[in-house]
Amino acid sequence: MAWVKGTLLNVLLLLLLRLLLLSAQTLPLVAAGDPHNCDVPLASSLPQLSFSSSSQLSSSHGPGFARLNRRDGAGGWTPLVSNKYQWLQIDLGERMEVTAVATQGGYGSSDWVTSYLLMFSDGGRNWKQYHQEESISGFSGNTNADSVVQYSLQPSFHTRFLRFLPLAWNPKGRIGMRIEVYGCSYKSEVVYFDGQSSLLYKFDNGAIRPIREVISLKFKAMQNSGIIFHKKGQHGTHIVLELIKGKLVVYLNSGNGNLPPVGSIMNFTLGSLLDDLHWHSVLIELQNMHVNFTLDKHMHHVHVNKESSYLDLNFEISFGEILMPGGHFLTFPHKSFHGCLENIYFNGVNIIKLAKKHEPQILIKGNVSFTCPQPQTVPVTFLSSGSYLALPGSLREDKMSLAFELRTWNKEGYVFFSQLGHGSGSLVLFLKSGKLILSLSEPGQPLKNITTGVVLNDGLWHSVSLSAQGSYLSLTVDGDSSAQTLSVWIHSGNTYYFGGCPDNSSSFGCDSSFGGFQGCLRLISIGDKVVDPIAVQQGVLGGFSDLQIDSCGIIDRCLPSYCEHGSRCTQSWDTFSCDCEGTGYTGTTCHSSIYEQSCEAHRHRGSPSGLYYIDVDGSGPLMPFLVYCNMTADTAWTVVHHGGPDVVTVRGGPEGHMRSAAFSYAASAAQLHAVVDVADHCEQQVDLQCRTSASSNTEDGTSLSWWVGRTNETYTYWGGSLPDPQKCTCGLEGTCIDSQYHCNCDADLSEWTSGTIVLSHKEHLPVTEMVVTDTGRPHSEAAYTLGPLLCQGDKSFWNSASFNTEASYLHFPTFHGELTADVHFLFKTTISSGVFMENLGITDFIRIELRAPTEVTFSFDVGNGPCELTIQSPTPFNDNRWHQVRAERNVKGAALQVDQLPQKTQPTLADGHVRLQLNSQLFIGGTASRQKGFLGCIRSLQVNGMTLDLEGRAVMTPGVEPGCSGHCSSYGHLCRNGGKCLEKHRGIACDCAFSAYDGPLCSHEISAYFEMGSSVTYNFQEHSPLSENTSSLASSLHGDVILSRETITLSFRTTQTPCLLLYVSSFYEEYLSVILANNGSLQVRYKLDRHRNADAFNFDLRNLADGHFHQLMINREEAVVSVEVNQSTKRQVILSSGTEFNAVKSLILGKVLEPLDTDPEMQQAAAQGFTGCLSSVRFGLEVPLKAALNQDLARVTIQGGVAAAAHCAEGPGSAVRKLSPVPSLGAGHSGSAEDRRPLSNTNRSDPGVIGGITAVVIFILLCVSAIAIRVHQQKRLRQKNESTLSKTEEC
């Protein structure tokens, strides 16, 4: 409680301190005298001379008449010509805080502006555009002459000069404007550093140490690099703020006194293009282990180690460069700051004011002044690929030189062109792959190129100079020169074109086929004369098109970066793109995960067991990670392994000595937390080996062992899903060696015992540490192994709701997807239309609906007008099957995908609104108007990676029920090879009883390798349903089954001939046989009437005994028999021996052990049997090979060596276990509890474990001996039964 009170007191003190600080540094002297009012009209009281413009239609249309609501003059400003190069300017007299602007058209006229840009400047040069948040399209203006359109500016800004640049106006009139600016005065203290000067401020060491430190300032940089400030603490800690190539780099150093801070615990970069000669604000807040850095409203939070607290930084702070005690300048390869700082406050102390008063705690070094010079540089912005600037060429014909600086994001662009004099060719300078290439074209001569520079599209200013004199041509970029001597003399042309050429210029060689230059130029000089762009703007010099003069309009579109999940942002002048490679995400902003969210999702895509990446929160912040998915018949298990020790051995040691083992996992704590939260059940197994072990608790009940869970909580219980039982597995099951103990290891036996503990209280898992305390007993030994974290199921995947009435819906809190919104869900329905989801704002909205049986529509509005994406399907969506919908909207565009249909996309409107502003509840299954409601089921609904609990809301909502049924209609196809789909509350299961395959989805091939002379005999039971269309039973004597049709499938791999693939016998001497003849061809024999000869068909397709894997299907419909080999070759024959198979007795695979009354070729194949691999054997609904491998002793007899194989298709050597006639050597079980729970492998090297393994090996050897004796007896019996058969070579 005391800690809580102290924390609350600290928070209150911090709030008070911040309020005081903000009042000290930002509260202006307001024009109206009200300290809380900063929306005072500023323009209305200004003299007419404070207004200026690019031009005016007449003296009565001058800029001085542009005050809001005024009617004097012509009632507003109108320029001489209405085009996009006009502007209206206001001089506020001094820097003011501007909070709002308002516009009108010309009074009583048809002249008004419908959109405009707002520019600002401190000195009337180098204008900067004001950007509304996340938008660069400017402001919407008026729709008539007299109404007022006002905008509140968030954030506000400080400036002296403002410009309004009309972009569009009433097409039936002219540009006409009346304006007002709102705000208040702004108090400013500035200091100027010339690149060789600095300030040092020493703190009062006797002052009370604050609980929080706040540093704030503004800077305007005149060079792109330099130290802004350095703060040093008494214990060697440092904070350094340095401008490097227009970006602010923050260094945090935990005590290493060496600078530059190579030993810094961290450094990071903020901002970009900060060398634009405009003010940028910095706020640093330090409290305990938390440091907040805010640059121009963008905050970066840093959490430092406890040992690295920066609150001892109350020693000294220097600005402009790094000064050490005594005022000595610390020389290291970083530049000093050249520029201005404004309103430097440290914990409310105005440092610039102290410096002005020459207070003793301030040390001034070098030439420091307290006014900020205004830059006179006039940049030029080339807005589009059609922009150009035309200037007169050099006055000297025999010499050509020019220089300029450029700044761009584009890799390519036309920078300069000039037609040379005397028809000697042309000179072109262009960007290609971020390099500058100077190309000289001469008539009849190959191009001559000079290349220099690298990565010139980095957004920085780069100096370029070009010179040609006589036959010498050189190009210099950032001091790096390249030159070439030519065979001809170069003569300067009359006109130089920068950035591009006029549309009609291709006739004289200016063909910018790869696009014009988009970016900024400044400091243009031709010869020794500096070009004045203002003269160009006024029409006095040269010509231009689509330029913005006196402003560099470059924007960093990667700051803030909208590229998500660690993807890399790259940009051009107009747009940005995200490189998603290696992130695991896709989309225009790398928002959507390419991975499934769980093993359960992988299972219902038909994936087998294996290693998979999963992304638990989809598009959320958690990254994908690798797990093992164990697919079982009922569920999918997620297996997350740890990197801890395989076996931890504990031997008797000093009493009280603790032995601990830490376990780290192949996933972060947050990822593990998410896996456990969505799982239906989680567990972790601890396997124990022990002898002479003491009790788990001391006499006073203190636990001698414990473990640590995911939240770093310590737990002393062992076993069970709740902490209460305090029992091992044997204690819970009542199978412990000594019934008075709940764990075998507590019995204190001298021999080795083992036990298993299953921890299944999932909220505590996984185990991160285990601790065992020694009891001082010298002969005590124990070893334990911690298994992986096992979690089954995915609650979010099956979370669903059924909507039973059109007026019913579920509602959730407002969907916050301002810049990125993605929605993912599944639906099934039988209706033709209905709304899946809707969320409304004042004008914005987002909606997904089934608009027609074959149409799903995603619509939204972010302020640019409604946008719709519709996917049309060739088949109806209202087929009562699950359909998957994925919709996404971000700052780059929108996308919609349904099932596997082609995705529909639509880009965002260029320079339009991008923020989706919603305020209503999120409606699911309906709308706020209760119209167009949805009838059906919605499942697994996720918005921005968060699963909405449909079932939880449905429980309390009339007309909506939790859960959905009928999953087999959508997922039944996953049950393959004749498997039957079984409905479950959450998902499906596959019944493989009548499939020749096995496994969770009936896709695991049932294969066996038959050794020479081996056979499997399958006896049909009476009344067995062999076919779905079986005729009535004919004989009660033998329980006869009469078949008029059957389907047989099998696959095989063999190399010897002849051989028997399958033989089906009857009580009435009828049979079916499938053999490979001596030449490897397929033969099928049917004898369906004992009084007639057998029908023998030879399918001489190819040699099927070629050692390759072959698939065979035989289908009989009465007398018509169809044979298909390898799913391609089909033949059809007609039987003459009959149409019914009577009294089916048995099916034999391999060697036939009884004499047959057949033709010699058939007898030879039956005696030869089959040697090779057989798989997927099915006769009607019977699966004889599967029954053999499952040791169905009532119906199967096995003779000889038959071994289960992994897959026949994989070739020889895939046998995994051998079958024999001995009943005890069964093929295992299917669907047991062991199959339903994944097994974890352990690696024990403990002596006790080795002893246990030795005992097992001895037991196995005894079993093998018994088996060998039994096999020998069976062999003798077979030899006796086979004495009447001819001896031939085996297949």
Side-chain angles (χ1 to χ4, degrees), residues 40 48 427 831 1019 1101:
V40 176
Q48 283 200 1
L427 204 59
I831 64 170
N1019 298 307
L1101 305 172

Side-chain angles (χ1 to χ4, degrees), residues 716-761:
T716 58
Y717 74 92
W718 299 94
S721 60
L722 294 174
D724 298 334
Q726 299 288 340
K727 298 177 182 180
C728 297
T729 302
C730 70
L732 294 171
E733 298 176 352
T735 59
C736 291
I737 296 174
D738 192 331
S739 59
Q740 65 178 321
Y741 296 104
H742 300 307
C743 290
N744 286 334
C745 286
D746 289 342
D748 204 18
L749 300 177
S750 58
E751 64 270 14
W752 283 98
T753 60
S754 62
T756 300
I757 295 172
V758 178
L759 302 171
S760 55
H761 189 54

Side-chain angles (χ1 to χ4, degrees), residues 479-498:
D480 184 14
S481 297
S482 295
Q484 192 173 96
T485 301
L486 308 175
S487 59
V488 297
W489 284 67
I490 295 177
H491 301 275
S492 175
N494 295 325
T495 306
Y496 293 166
Y497 292 94
F498 293 86

Side-chain angles (χ1 to χ4, degrees), residues 684-973:
Q684 205 161 4
Q685 181 173 304
V686 182
D687 294 325
L688 301 173
Q689 298 283 335
C690 53
R691 68 176 180 180
T692 320
S693 61
S695 173
S696 58
N697 295 330
T698 61
E699 294 181 358
D700 61 359
T702 303
S703 178
L704 293 174
S705 59
W706 61 87
W707 55 279
V708 180
R710 70 180 184 190
T711 59
N712 290 326
E713 296 285 338
T714 299
Y715 305 105
T716 58
Y717 74 92
W718 299 94
S721 60
L722 294 174
D724 298 334
Q726 299 288 340
K727 298 177 182 180
C728 297
T729 302
C730 70
L732 294 171
E733 298 176 352
T735 59
C736 291
I737 296 174
D738 192 331
S739 59
Q740 65 178 321
Y741 296 104
H742 300 307
C743 290
N744 286 334
C745 286
D746 289 342
D748 204 18
L749 300 177
S750 58
E751 64 270 14
W752 283 98
T753 60
S754 62
T756 300
I757 295 172
V758 178
L759 302 171
S760 55
H761 189 54
K762 74 169 192 170
E763 286 73 14
H764 296 166
L765 297 177
V767 177
T768 59
E769 184 181 8
M770 295 183 68
V771 180
V772 178
T773 304
D774 288 327
T775 61
R777 305 180 65 182
H779 300 293
S780 176
E781 291 184 77
Y784 64 86
T785 299
L786 176 67
L789 174 67
L790 310 176
C791 291
Q792 73 168 30
D794 180 358
K795 293 185 293 186
S796 63
F797 188 76
W798 295 110
N799 193 298
S800 57
S802 300
F803 298 83
N804 301 324
T805 66
E806 289 189 3
S808 61
Y809 58 83
L810 299 178
H811 60 85
F812 293 87
T814 304
F815 177 28
H816 294 289
E818 286 80 2
L819 298 176
T820 299
D822 81 276
V823 182
H824 166 245
F825 62 92
L826 294 98
F827 76 91
K828 66 174 184 173
T829 186
T830 57
I831 64 170
S832 59
S833 64
V835 175
F836 299 122
M837 66 157 286
E838 180 183 83
N839 207 158
L840 305 177
I842 298 175
T843 57
D844 294 1
F845 72 89
I846 184 170
R847 183 183 301 114
I848 305 176
E849 61 186 308
L850 180 67
R851 182 166 291 182
T854 59
E855 291 184 4
V856 172
T857 299
F858 172 39
S859 56
F860 59 90
D861 188 351
V862 295
N864 305 315
C867 175
E868 283 191 358
L869 291 87
T870 298
I871 285 186
Q872 293 184 327
S873 171
T875 58
F877 291 121
N878 59 342
D879 56 359
N880 205 29
R881 295 174 180 266
W882 287 115
H883 297 280
Q884 188 177 52
V885 178
R886 293 182 182 273
E888 180 182 348
R889 189 215 71 85
N890 55 51
V891 297
K892 292 281 288 181
L896 174 65
Q897 185 163 23
V898 182
D899 297 334
Q900 300 304 314
L901 296 170
Q903 186 185 60
K904 285 291 183 67
T905 61
Q906 185 166 323
T908 298
L909 179 67
D911 295 341
H913 298 282
V914 296
R915 184 175 290 273
L916 177 65
Q917 298 179 354
L918 306 174
N919 53 26
S920 76
Q921 291 181 318
L922 171 62
F923 293 90
I924 304 298
T927 65
S929 62
R930 299 198 175 189
Q931 297 178 352
K932 301 173 64 176
F934 173 73
L935 290 175
C937 289
I938 296 178
R939 174 167 71 84
S940 188
L941 174 60
Q942 296 170 336
V943 291
N944 278 353
M946 293 181 56
T947 300
L948 300 186
D949 186 7
L950 300 176
E951 294 181 353
R953 287 297 175 100
V955 170
M956 59 186 74
T957 305
V960 186
E961 296 180 357
C964 291
S965 60
H967 301 305
C968 280
S969 62
S970 299
Y971 297 108
H973 67 281

